[in-house]
Every structure is written in structure tokens, then in C-alpha cells.
Amino acid sequence: MTFLMGIMVSFYFFPIEFTFLPGVNTKMAMAGFGLVILIVQMARSRQPYINTAIFGFSIIAILVSIIGLVSVTYNETHDYTYATYIVSMWVWLSGAYVVITLMRALHDHVSVELVCNYLIAVCTAQCISALMIDSIPAFKAFIDTYVSGFGFVDTSLMNKAQRLYGIGAGLDVAGLRFSAILCSIAYITTRIANTTRRGYIWIYLVCFIIIGLVGNMIARTTTVGVVIAIGYWAYHILYKTQGGTYLGKWLIGIIAIALLVIIPLYNTNPDFKANTRFAFEGFFSLVEKGRWEVHSNNILMDMYVFPDNLKTWIIGDGYMENPRNDPYYTGEIIGGYYMGTDVGYLRFIFYFGLLGLLTFIYFFIAITFNSMKKFPTQRVLFLLFLAVNMIGWFKVSTDIFLVFAPFLLISREENDAAEERLRVKS
């Protein structure tokens, strides 16, 4: 049952579209079931199952959508990417509701750490499946036969681009999700390092190595999570916080063992070598050329194009995607996204200006601080999630609301009860 629960979490966190069910991905299907479950439960108890804070976040999401709609209407465009963000928010929430409801039914409780453990397991499995797809033709053929897309890109496009992908995990969308989960590993390991549960640290660190290595092969945006996590660990080790020394020894040991596995694979497996060089192109460039050089970063630097008029700065141009298919667009058509930039912050500004961007930032800050208030013992975890989102926007416009969503559906009382049980065992 735990394995099936993991599949459901994967369907939520890395939604896929099946070839035999075109037009519907697992996120959309779970959202539909989530609404049905919510309505049935509310009808039976005659009480709301969604906490009032979510309605506050919904108001902010509605403001983001309204600003997007105003920009689209004023600029006479047809790009409703973020004009419908409130719908996207509730689709993710509904999908998360299915996950939390099933998790509660299986384990008789749900907590922040339990959700994190499932997400860590799913991300690790995605990375292992990515290596299997890349190295086992029969397995790749099986996946490509039944999985047509990831909800945001077709599998055929991934094959054409020759990028590593898992069963729903691909490109920078997966990279930011991996980053958030790497931060959760860093947080949990430091938290249990001074308890009787510290014997599990090696499992978390193995998962970190797998996600950090293969995740970067899938999307180098995973580096954001690697850097934040290592920085968080370094703080605890250098300042010798409780369990910091113990954790540091395990880190050194696991890294040493990992290198004993990675180096022979690098020297004997051409595909693994190519993927490793892609994942850590900057480090290889630094060693071989004496300078940090990453092809995608060089391209990204050329994408820092800023608005040249006040209207765009305030309300945007109403374009998020490339307007090449808009028959009414009269400006210059540049490759890639609108204005040729993939930088998250700039794409938001060009879409709905600083007004929309600042409202969107406030949306995530409000969620973060609410989560910190509701779960005070895990407040650092949500700050790490916020850091991943804000830093990630320097590279892509993908947000990680889906990471926050499951935690919004957990009550403080339920989490405290689970924490108390763990404390007694420790």
C-alpha cells in the first residue's frame, strides 16, 4: 500500500498524460477527485475541511489573476497564462487534497515530515527511473508507449532535445521541485542528527546524492537546491549545533562512498559520462579551462532584457509565451519566449508588470509565513522552500506552489500529535 501511495504522490508531484487518455493528465484527474472527496466530506460533517487561511491565499491568487487579466485586456492579447492563476492554484490544492486524504487513511495520521518523506522517495525514484529510461531501451520503449507527456511538454519533444527525463520529471520544472526536496533532506537530517532516529541519516544522504547528481542531469536548476542545502548543512557543522559534528562525519563518509561509485561509472560508461559533464559543466570548465563557463548560463545572461517604457514596467505587455501565433502582434518576433527572455522575474514583468510580480511574490511570502506560524518547529523548512522559489525565478518562471499545497491541508494539531509520538520514541 505504501508503494501505491508513492505512485499517487508521483502522479501529483510529477503529473503525466497517458497515451490512452489524451488531453487529461494525472494532476487534472486528481483535482477532479479531490473536489468530489471534499464535497462529500463537507456534506457528511457539515463543516469545512479547508482552513480559513487558504481562502486568504485564494484572494491574493485572485488579485494575481485580475492583474493578469487587466494586462491581457489592456494590451489586447490572448495570453491568459497567469490570468487564470486562481484556477491553477485550486487544481493543485485539489490534487494535494487527494494525496493528504489517502495518506491519512493509510497511516492514520499525516504530518509535515511524513509528506516530506514521501516526496523524497518519489524524487529519488524519478531520478532512478530517468537513468533506467536512458540506459535500458526496453524500459524506455515501455514508458514512451504509455506516457505521452508531462502536462507541460510532450515526451517526443524530450527525446528530440535528447534530455534525460523520468516518468513525468523533466527540464527546469523538475529542477525546482528537486531543489525544494533537497532542502527538505537537509532540514530533516539536521533535525534528527541529535535523536535516536539519526540512524536513518545515511538513507536521506543517499537520496540527496541521487537527486543532486541525476537531478542535475535532468535539469541544472537542481543546483539551486544543492547549494542551499549544502549552505544549511555548513552552518550547522561550522557552528557545531546539536548533532552537527555527527552529521558532518556522515556527509564526508557518504560523499566518499558515492565518489567510489561515480568515478568508475564516469570512466567506463559513455552515456553516464556525457550526462555527468552536462550536469556539472561549470565545474568541468573550471578544472579544464580555468574559468566557470556554462552554455545555458551564457545564454541566460543575454536574456536580461528590460522594458523600455513605463507602461510595461507597471502593467506589462500581456505576453508570457512567444507571440508568434498571435495574428494581431506587430512587434519583432524573437526566438524562445516573449522578448527572447527565459528569466522568471523578467517574464513576469513583461506579462503583468511590477504590479503583478510584487503581488505574486506577496502570495508566496504569505503562504510561507502562515506555514511558519502553523508549524513553528519546522519554520526553517518553509523558509528554505521560499528561498528555492525566489532564487529559481532568476532562471525560470516556474513556481513551486505545489510543494506548499500539501502542507496547507495539514492541521497544526495533527502535526503536533505526530511530532509528540516521534519525540517519545526518540
Side-chain angles (χ1 to χ4, degrees):
M1 291 300 292
T2 302
F3 177 75
L4 293 177
M5 185 68 242
I7 292 176
M8 294 303 295
V9 174
S10 184
F11 281 170
Y12 164 76
F13 208 60
F14 296 104
I16 58 177
E17 181 177 321
F18 293 105
T19 53
F20 53 82
L21 195 62
V24 179
N25 62 48
T26 53
K27 174 187 69 175
M28 296 167 59
M30 291 178 72
F33 284 120
L35 287 175
V36 172
I37 294 172
L38 176 61
I39 292 171
V40 170
Q41 290 182 337
M42 289 179 66
R44 286 179 175 177
S45 66
R46 297 183 180 180
Q47 292 182 354
Y49 272 70
I50 302 295
N51 63 68
T52 54
I54 291 179
F55 289 100
F57 304 143
S58 297
I59 296 299
I60 304 174
I62 289 172
L63 288 176
V64 172
S65 300
I66 290 174
I67 295 170
L69 183 61
V70 169
S71 177
V72 169
T73 303
Y74 181 83
N75 290 288
E76 299 181 338
T77 72
H78 298 84
D79 190 337
Y80 292 91
T81 304
Y82 279 87
T84 57
Y85 189 74
I86 180 61
V87 176
S88 177
M89 171 192 167
W90 271 94
V91 166
W92 283 118
L93 269 176
S94 297
Y97 195 77
V98 174
V99 169
I100 294 299
T101 300
L102 293 176
M103 202 175 292
R104 186 178 288 118
L106 177 62
H107 296 279
D108 294 324
H109 77 280
V110 66
S111 66
V112 170
E113 189 167 318
L114 180 64
V115 172
C116 285
N117 284 338
Y118 267 105
L119 292 175
I120 291 167
V122 164
C123 287
T124 304
Q126 284 287 347
C127 290
I128 293 173
S129 69
L131 290 178
M132 292 173 64
I133 291 170
D134 187 58
S135 58
I136 305 175
F139 185 69
K140 174 181 171 59
F142 176 79
I143 296 299
D144 290 352
T145 297
Y146 294 103
V147 178
S148 62
F150 299 170
F152 65 96
V153 65
D154 293 335
T155 307
S156 58
L157 182 62
M158 296 295 295
N159 286 317
K160 185 177 180 181
Q162 296 184 326
R163 292 290 296 271
L164 207 66
Y165 60 89
I167 308 174
L171 303 178
D172 290 319
V173 173
L176 278 189
R177 296 172 194 181
F178 287 149
S179 292
I181 302 313
L182 288 173
C183 288
S184 73
I185 293 175
Y187 170 76
I188 291 175
T189 50
T190 54
R191 193 158 186 251
I192 68 174
N194 198 42
T195 71
T196 56
R197 293 188 294 136
R198 65 183 186 179
Y200 295 106
I201 282 180
W202 72 271
I203 299 176
Y204 285 107
L205 294 183
V206 168
C207 290
F208 184 89
I209 294 295
I210 293 173
I211 299 171
L213 175 64
V214 184
N216 266 291
M217 294 177 181
I218 294 172
R220 287 183 291 212
T221 315
T222 306
T223 301
V224 172
V226 173
V227 172
I228 294 175
I230 291 176
Y232 184 69
W233 274 328
Y235 169 81
H236 282 272
I237 294 171
L238 293 175
Y239 284 89
K240 297 181 179 180
T241 58
Q242 289 187 338
T245 302
Y246 179 86
L247 178 60
K249 292 177 180 178
W250 265 109
L251 273 171
I252 294 173
I254 291 295
I255 291 174
I257 294 172
L259 289 175
L260 291 176
V261 176
I262 293 170
I263 292 174
L265 275 175
Y266 178 85
N267 290 324
T268 59
N269 189 310
D271 290 335
F272 185 82
K273 179 177 181 178
N275 288 326
T276 303
R277 291 188 68 86
F278 169 82
F280 303 101
E281 182 182 357
F283 294 99
F284 282 104
S285 175
L286 188 63
V287 172
E288 297 171 358
K289 301 178 182 178
R291 64 180 183 275
W292 182 274
E293 189 175 82
V294 179
H295 179 65
S296 60
N297 286 355
N298 295 337
I299 295 175
L300 188 67
M301 292 305 297
D302 294 331
M303 291 184 177
Y304 276 86
V305 181
F306 297 92
D308 58 2
N309 63 85
L310 186 61
K311 186 272 293 182
T312 302
W313 277 109
I314 296 174
I315 197 64
D317 292 338
Y319 284 112
M320 193 78 180
E321 306 298 334
N322 195 306
R324 62 166 60 92
N325 295 321
D326 187 343
Y328 300 103
Y329 180 71
T330 58
E332 181 183 359
I333 298 293
I334 304 174
Y337 298 108
Y338 179 62
M339 297 302 293
T341 182
D342 194 22
V343 179
Y345 285 104
L346 291 176
R347 289 189 69 194
F348 288 134
I349 291 174
F350 279 116
Y351 183 70
F352 49 24
L354 286 173
L355 188 61
L357 172 61
L358 293 176
T359 305
F360 204 26
I361 290 175
Y362 176 66
F363 173 73
F364 285 98
I365 291 176
I367 290 174
T368 300
F369 280 86
N370 175 267
S371 301
M372 291 171 63
K373 183 179 179 180
K374 185 166 66 168
F375 308 118
T377 56
Q378 288 115 348
R379 60 185 180 276
V380 174
L381 175 65
F382 299 100
L383 277 177
L384 294 176
F385 287 163
L386 180 64
V388 168
N389 194 86
M390 295 298 105
I391 294 173
W393 279 354
F394 283 103
K395 176 66 170 65
V396 293
S397 59
T398 301
D399 67 78
I400 59 168
F401 173 73
L402 81 162
V403 177
F404 286 97
F407 303 108
L408 298 179
L409 302 172
I410 303 173
S411 69
R412 177 172 182 171
E413 293 74 19
E414 190 172 22
N415 185 69
D416 287 347
E419 288 284 301
E420 180 61 22
R421 285 194 292 270
L422 287 174
R423 188 189 67 79
V424 172
K425 291 180 180 179
S426 300

